[in-house]
Amino acid sequence: MERRLVWDLPTRLFHWLLVASLIVQYVTASWLENAMQWHFYCGYFTLGLLIFRIFWGLFGPKYARFSHFIASPVSVFNYSRTLFSRRSLAYTGHNPLGGYVVVLMLSMVITQAVSGLFMSDDIFMEGPWYASASNATRAVMNTVHRTGFDWLVAIIMLHIAAVVFYTVFKKQPLTSAMLHGKKRTKKPAIPSSKLWLAAFLIILSAFIVYYFVVIAPPTPVAEEVYY
Ligand code: HEM
Ligand code: HEM
């Protein structure tokens, strides 16, 4: 079987930039002192990445599209029965079960980035929506941001374990395909990575982030100070 382009360049870049961003987010919040400003910047970047991925899931090349990897419950069930078999069908894009894990991971990271906008470190730094949120909203977002991350780490561990399982047991080298984009398949390669469309969607995503971080948040009402 020939090696053909399956994962376009923007999808691959998205994946590895997401991995790097989450590492930075963890390190700046939990390991480093005084790195909150960088946590905020990288959080906005991650939000932009995710907005881009949603657009890409709608308008990107075939295998990156949600419509291609959100499968019917029947195919998920049928695929699950062959999960531990070495002879299960190797999918060109995400397999039916993996497709849902992708959706779950994306939703969890979005939740993480959005809840961050309502966070405060209780010292100097406030996310752009913190000041205008009620105490109840702040409390919910705080819980979501802190416990959500632990759940995210659990799913990421599962994801990495699954990739190792596919590589070692099922002899399907998925990671190298996420690096160079090519898989051995009988299906046709994607015609192009649609780089011009990607450039446009990156600019649009950056603008949407700018809108939600800088333009839209209501200006905080100055707290009254009594002397
Ligand atoms: C922070 C850690 C990680 C996160 C949040 C993450 C998230 C994701 C997401 C969202 C996708 C779907 C890609 C898309 O369609 O846009 C994906 C796919 C994939 N990831 Fe990761 N990933 C992480 C770490 C890793 C690592 C360390 C590896 C390699 C060892 C890896 C290998 C892969 C592979 C091979 C796929 C494609 C799976 C397939 O062929 O269906 N990921 N990952
Ligand atoms: C995907 C993006 C994000 C991830 C993965 C993430 C991850 C984390 C983690 C792991 C913590 C530490 C939680 C703990 O100690 O229990 C944290 C805390 C925090 N995050 Fe995020 N975060 C993200 C986005 C954001 C954004 C966009 C903002 C604000 C604009 C933000 C603001 C904060 C604040 C203020 C804290 C509390 C720090 C403290 O209490 O010292 N985060 N975040």
Side-chain angles (χ1 to χ4, degrees):
M1 260 188 288
E2 246 181 89
R3 278 169 23 132
R4 293 177 175 153
L5 187 65
V6 169
W7 298 123
D8 54 85
L9 181 64
T11 300
R12 284 179 277 146
L13 275 178
F14 162 79
H15 181 265
W16 298 113
L17 286 173
L18 182 67
V19 174
S21 306
L22 293 187
I23 294 171
V24 171
Q25 287 309 81
Y26 177 71
V27 170
T28 50
S30 305
W31 283 1
L32 299 179
E33 303 274 321
N34 306 323
M36 240 323 115
Q37 186 66 68
W38 289 106
H39 187 80
F40 279 31
Y41 289 149
C42 183
Y44 303 148
F45 177 76
T46 315
L47 187 60
L49 274 180
L50 292 158
I51 294 171
F52 168 78
R53 186 63 185 89
I54 293 173
F55 282 131
W56 208 234
L58 299 172
F59 308 115
K62 185 173 170 184
Y63 297 108
R65 289 199 183 197
F66 299 129
S67 58
H68 191 265
F69 64 79
I70 299 182
S72 71
V74 176
S75 40
V76 175
F77 179 73
N78 288 340
Y79 182 79
S80 306
R81 291 198 310 186
T82 65
L83 189 62
F84 295 100
S85 149
R86 280 205 163 98
R87 285 194 304 266
S88 74
L89 205 61
Y91 275 77
T92 309
H94 297 304
N95 69 56
L97 193 59
Y100 281 97
V101 178
V102 169
V103 173
L104 180 66
M105 283 196 288
L106 294 177
S107 314
M108 288 174 85
V109 189
I110 291 173
T111 308
Q112 200 65 33
V114 171
S115 59
L117 304 178
F118 294 82
M119 289 287 286
S120 156
D121 66 355
D122 294 328
I123 318 170
F124 305 114
M125 302 282 303
E126 287 176 2
W129 289 89
Y130 177 82
S132 56
S134 67
N135 280 341
T137 309
R138 288 175 185 173
V140 170
M141 293 300 185
N142 195 303
T143 310
V144 167
H145 202 70
R146 288 176 197 277
T147 46
F149 189 75
D150 296 339
W151 286 100
L152 181 61
V153 170
I155 290 292
I156 291 171
M157 294 298 177
L158 185 74
H159 168 61
I160 296 174
V163 170
V164 172
F165 172 74
Y166 272 77
T167 310
V168 175
F169 182 74
K170 285 164 134 6
K171 307 272 187 275
Q172 293 179 28
L174 301 183
T175 307
S176 50
M178 244 319 149
L179 286 166
H180 51 56
K182 292 184 178 158
K183 271 189 184 177
R184 286 191 192 284
T185 175
K186 287 180 190 151
K187 299 265 167 66
I190 51 167
S192 88
S193 280
K194 293 192 175 181
L195 293 183
W196 283 108
L197 178 65
F200 170 72
L201 294 175
I202 288 169
I203 295 169
L204 184 62
S205 308
F207 180 76
I208 294 174
V209 173
Y210 185 73
Y211 177 79
F212 281 106
V213 169
V214 179
I215 302 178
T219 340
V221 184
E223 282 184 24
E224 291 188 39
V225 181
Y226 297 99
Y227 292 101

